[in-house]
Amino acid sequence: MVGNYAALALKVWGDFACFTRPEMKVERVTYPVMSPSAARGVLEAVFWKPEFFWSVEEIWVLEPIRYFSILRNEVNSRASERVASEWRTSGGSYDATEDRAQRHTLALRDVSYIIKAQVQVKPGVTEDEAKFRDQFHRRARDGRCFATPYLGCREFSGSFSEPDGDEQPIDS
């Protein structure tokens, strides 16, 4: 517990997740557990204000860690406005079949977590932390979010709710 309040909790789950390890350059390989930065991203998708930041304290793993493997076709280059403008003025086009590579992803399936975090009000902000905590509770209870939370990669969307209180982390 930091400050006067217990940590806020959010349950998040999904069919798939991939919390990419940075040392794996070409192939996507997931960490076995959600990373703190991914947890912060989920919290910010549900409730974000410029007056505070999230400080993740705990991540509970509620389901056994299960991996799966997929192969996907991905394009190698990024689209840019400059190149598109050149095509418009001087002609040209893009052929995805010429710019494609097959990539392997080792991801997680059937994931469920509880994220416990604190609201850390930024220096100079006069609002009370309780105001932000109450807003978070309402949003989590009602299933409202600023953006759909995702579990590592954007294509792996997540669902969320307030924990019911019966959840327990699995034994590692």
Side-chain angles (χ1 to χ4, degrees), residues 16-56:
F16 307 111
C18 184
F19 308 108
T20 312
R21 299 173 64 125
E23 67 269 21
M24 307 297 185
K25 299 288 187 207
V26 176
E27 310 300 333
R28 286 193 183 98
V29 177
T30 187
Y31 286 114
V33 176
M34 173 184 275
S35 64
S37 61
R40 197 168 33 259
V42 168
L43 293 167
E44 288 175 353
V46 174
F47 183 58
W48 177 86
K49 292 277 187 185
E51 294 88 357
F52 74 89
F53 63 92
W54 288 103
S55 176
V56 175

